[in-house]
Amino acid sequence: MPLPPRAMPCLLLPCLLALAACATQAELRMAAQQEQWAGEAARQGHWPQALRTYEDAIDNVELGHGDASWQARLHQQAAQAAGAACRPDALEHHVRSATALWRRAGITAPSTLPSVAQSCGARP
């Protein structure tokens, strides 16, 4: 027996919400994996790769609506990789983003944030 036309939107909304929740979880799982990959690249001294992978993780945490403290930590790690990769523009962007996210989360930014004056190529 077919459903009346009015019942269709009532059934469609829960299905769409369930799909959105699955997509959000997939984004967050991918971000966690990317954070691990970026950390491994950083440990091996592959700073440009680490920076790109941290930035990909940041995008996925944003898409997955991850918490601000996680995003801030990723920006801090990206800033460290940017300094070592001789990318002062990216370093400044990630330091500012991390600071703003910590402020929004009500957390005092750690004093370990790299400065724009950090030497190029130095291992964080």
Side-chain angles (χ1 to χ4, degrees):
M1 172 175 178
L3 293 173
R6 286 189 199 165
M8 289 300 220
C10 293
L11 294 175
L12 185 59
L13 184 59
C15 290
L16 291 175
L17 290 174
L19 287 173
C22 288
T24 297
Q25 291 303 312
E27 298 291 347
L28 295 177
R29 280 193 303 272
M30 178 57 78
Q33 183 65 55
Q34 288 167 322
E35 184 177 14
Q36 289 177 356
W37 292 333
E40 183 59 31
R43 281 187 292 281
Q44 294 177 8
H46 302 296
W47 299 111
Q49 180 63 43
L51 175 59
R52 282 190 303 273
T53 308
Y54 279 127
E55 289 174 339
D56 290 343
I58 291 165
D59 291 342
N60 279 318
V61 171
E62 289 174 0
L63 289 171
H65 306 288
D67 64 36
S69 61
W70 186 11
Q71 291 179 44
R73 187 182 74 240
L74 288 170
H75 276 288
Q76 178 186 7
Q77 292 166 327
Q80 291 168 339
C86 303
R87 293 279 315 277
D89 57 325
L91 185 142
E92 184 174 359
H93 164 73
H94 290 297
V95 166
R96 287 181 187 205
S97 297
T99 303
L101 285 161
W102 271 309
R103 189 176 308 122
R104 190 172 80 196
I107 300 170
T108 304
S111 59
T112 58
L113 282 173
S115 70
V116 176
Q118 180 182 17
S119 63
C120 177
R123 187 174 179 95

